[in-house]
Amino acid sequence: MTQGKSSAAKGYLCVVIAALMWASSGTAGKALFDAGMSPFDLVQIRVTLASGILLLVFLLFSRDLLLLRPRDIPFFLFMGGVVMAVVTGSYLYTISKIQVAAAILIQYLAPIFVAIFAMLFWKERSTPLKISSLFLAFGGCFLVVGGYNLALLQMNLLGILGGLTSAITFAGYSLLGERAMHRYKPWTVLFYALAFSAVTWHVFYPPFTYIGAGYGSAQWGWIVYISIVGTILPFGLFFAGINHIRSTRASITATLEPIFAGFLAFILLGETLLFLQVVGGCMVILAIVLLQLQQEHDQLAPALIRTQKD
């Protein structure tokens, strides 16, 4: 029991830190967009630089992480070259088309898609606590991003479709990542997802646009920050978290990202948090507590059954 609790705690901690890193990288992305970089340029260089850094680290310190069975190549081609490529591109495209608050809200429909898929197709047990946590996480996210103030009729249809695409593909990415980690370590899964995503972005988008773009040192600093702190570390931690707490719990816990983004904006930019936004943050935290209670119940039930039999 103690070992199970320790494993779950590690999983939640990994995902919480990942959410904080994703939130912090938003400021860097905003600075690059203000300087004239397009979202698709940023996506291309982000996945390319991130996969290149991982490749160098693996070659220097742990080459066994590069080992991949030939029969699994099609799986990673789909996971990275299709799913992750669409996730990274559609989210930034959505931000460029509609309000950032709306983009974040639509993106965080992903936990609902993850839970529904897992319960329908992977036979993951549906419980009142799990369903309640889903609605609490989504409702809390809605309040934190100020969804109640959105001018819905003014939103761009393509932007909304882009956000839904991002949410669905992120859900698929989480589930595929969980399955891949039955055979490979989290960092191996992340590397090949990023590498194949980079290939896609160089095939279907003008390749190597960043080489002659003439970015200054400050811009390259933001790019490196996004590639490491906004990509490699959080995605790696997210996968590590999935190893401990499953994709459903990890994706719901990741809804802390807009919570962190709101508090960072308050601290760094002076943006105030409204009462309903604070309430929303408490709802997301409550959702995570409910998930932890479910985890402990799932672990306790078999032990009680064994005790009764004895």
Side-chain angles (χ1 to χ4, degrees), residues 15-16 19 22 108 170 238 249-258 288:
V15 178
V16 168
W22 273 323
Y108 279 93
F170 184 73
F238 183 73
R249 293 185 178 93
S251 60
I252 295 176
T253 306
T255 57
L256 281 170
E257 180 187 346
I288 297 171

Side-chain angles (χ1 to χ4, degrees), residues 4 28 45 85 110 119 145 168 203 212 221-223 225 234 255 257 293 309:
I45 191 171
M119 288 185 284
V145 302
I168 293 171
V203 171
W222 286 123
I223 290 170
Y225 180 87
T255 57
E257 180 187 346
L293 291 174
K309 287 183 178 180

